[in-house]
Amino acid sequence: MFAAIGRAVVRRPWWVVSTWLAVAVATIVMAPSLGSVTNADQSAFLPSDKESARAADLAERAFPGAEGASGVVVVSRVDKAPLGDADLARLAPLAQRLTAEKPAATAGVVFDPAQQVARNRAVALLGVQFTGAPERSEVQEAVRELRAQLAEELKGTGLTAGVTGEAAIVLDNKQSFADAERIVTVATVALIVALLLLIFRSPLAALLPLLSVGLVLGMSTSLVAATASALDFQIGQELPVLLTVVLFGIGTDYILFLLFRYRERLRAGDAPREAIVAAVERVGEAIFSAAFAVIAAFGALVLAMLGFFTTLGPALAIAVAVMLAAALTLVPAVVALLGRRVFWPARNTTQAAPARRFAAVGRLVARRPAAIIAGTLALLGALAAGSAAFQADYDPIGQLPPDTEATQAFDQLQRGFPAGALQPTTVYLRADRPLTGADIQRFTADLAAVDGVAAPMRPQTSADGSVVGIPLILAAPPYAPASLDLVAGPLREAAHAAAPPGTEVLVGGQTMAYADVRHTTERDFSVIFPVAGVLFVLILAGLLRVALAPIYLVAMVVLGFAATLGATALLFQEGLGRQGLSFIIPIILYLFVSAIGTDYNILMTARLREEIREGRTARQAAALAVEHAGPSVIAAAVILAGTFASLMISGVPFFVEIGFAVTLGIVLVAAVVSVLLVPAVTALAGRAAWWPGTASGRDPALRAERAEHTLSGRR
């Protein structure tokens, strides 16, 4: 099949290139922008039956106009001194002026001296209510205008103010991620060009992946946006950056595999068009299987309950599918048109390159497979032990750069108030009758007595008196593990126990929403991890047509994932003192490292099978596979690791964490698992590795004899 694809492309390369360009232009022009379907609020992806979602729905019906995002203005003195009487006297008129001049999406600004001035007078708070969800553009514009108004109003007063809270966090989050996307894109492109120039010493070979992947990125972004718009769903704000690094990393890898094999065939004496057909035939199956493994891994996310995962997976799968099609058609067509010029001005396309270092590594693996296995397993096992230290972090503020206004205002807030004052947890009590003052008072007192609740705030009662919302300030930060445990456990249990007969209780607010996110994510992990693992095994079994090898190949990659997670947790939590890693890290890391590790294992195992079919023994095949496939695997890993490493300069903690983790994971699965462990196990297992089938050629003895002479000559 792949030889037929290669021949068809070579026959009409101009037609293939023109078709790709026409489809790309049409897709990009007609589709909506990706930004129009993104959402920065991870709690917005919760299933509708979760308690926080049901509480939000009740609040919207019981308190019309109050269901929008909230905000907090944190006021303090520039000199850090306590607020004086004159300072406090300015705040009520300030709130009135801000309300009178409020932006279109602002319901109002309130100041209650009895509750919103810290006892130590370090800070005072003004409450802000917006008329829409934090993702709406008019709400984000209102936050910007409010910040500008505050700066103007407080000029020369000795006071300073910062806006934080739900709407401000979303705004600063989106801005930080947009800045990160620009930084990462520039760094990724520059790095890939530099690495490809170093590998091929040819500007055309360096620009080919850049232009091809750039075209695919534009198409994929538009296809994802069009799909989301047509099916009326939203995607997480992390997707644009992940699309960039995934496509430039994986896409460059696939193109690299083709170019390496194309150059190998040119060195063997093939004509350029024959060489590209042979390259597609030999590498096409490995690229297809590798891409299919990535697509299957991302596709497994549709089994998740959290909407963030169910939309992220298909979006990335669409992008990889488009990249696969381009790697098998567009890139070979361009190479067919360029011929040998693709490697200009390098002049070694017809001379054999000895790859002495990989040949030496291959001979070592073939001679000492047991020692290689023991050493690599000891390294991976030691790092994997660190995964027991992993703690999931659900704090959206902690994922913001420290210089954002929302983060700095939250830090100021904690100088005088419990951290939970940023996002009070609201407990809703609903009855079929008007609730009495005595009912509300007793219920509030029982909630205030729960350990971990700092103080209740003034209850809000619906127009018909049948619903009351009681805001509670928690002692711990709103997204801390202690707060999530509190609202999902003791507080909810106490609320249900204290509810008067015939009433219903729902716990709402952002803390409860993230407690629901945590519960849903843990469920999703328990489903996606094993399903993706089984899919990897099936894909490898389909490619190799054997039963045993796929199992141990996937087990090795999973061990690489565990080692990566352990090393990342030890560095960031124990070494850098962070309370945890973003809760998304394990599943993203598992899918990327497992899928990409499977890619490299496919490339190495395909070469092992190719050598075995030529009649070589298992150890000879291991030596030759490392020599010939090792450079491709390592070069591809360096490029892919480099693209993810660019995330570490983004300034966003989430991207720094995932950049380090995936970079390390790629290095481990490529250099340790694919280049050392896989050929060593295959060399030691011998024929058992290919059970129940066979990978040998028609005349094993004769071919093995020729291979032995070849190896002797190399030595």
Side-chain angles (χ1 to χ4, degrees), residues 526-547:
S526 68
V527 173
I528 293 168
F529 278 30
V531 168
V534 170
L535 289 174
F536 293 144
V537 170
L538 293 177
I539 290 167
L540 283 167
L543 172 66
L544 302 176
R545 298 170 184 83
V546 297

Side-chain angles (χ1 to χ4, degrees), residues 72-76 147 150 154 160-164 405-406 408-410:
V72 177
V73 177
V74 183
V75 181
S76 60
R147 286 173 169 173
L150 284 165
L154 297 179
T160 184
V163 181
T164 187
E405 183 169 326
Q408 294 177 341
F410 178 53

Side-chain angles (χ1 to χ4, degrees), residues 42 390-394 399 580-586 653-654 657:
Q42 289 162 338
F390 169 77
Q391 293 290 333
D393 182 17
Y394 293 83
Q399 295 304 319
L581 300 175
S582 171
F583 72 95
I584 303 173
I585 293 289
F654 166 73
E657 293 170 8

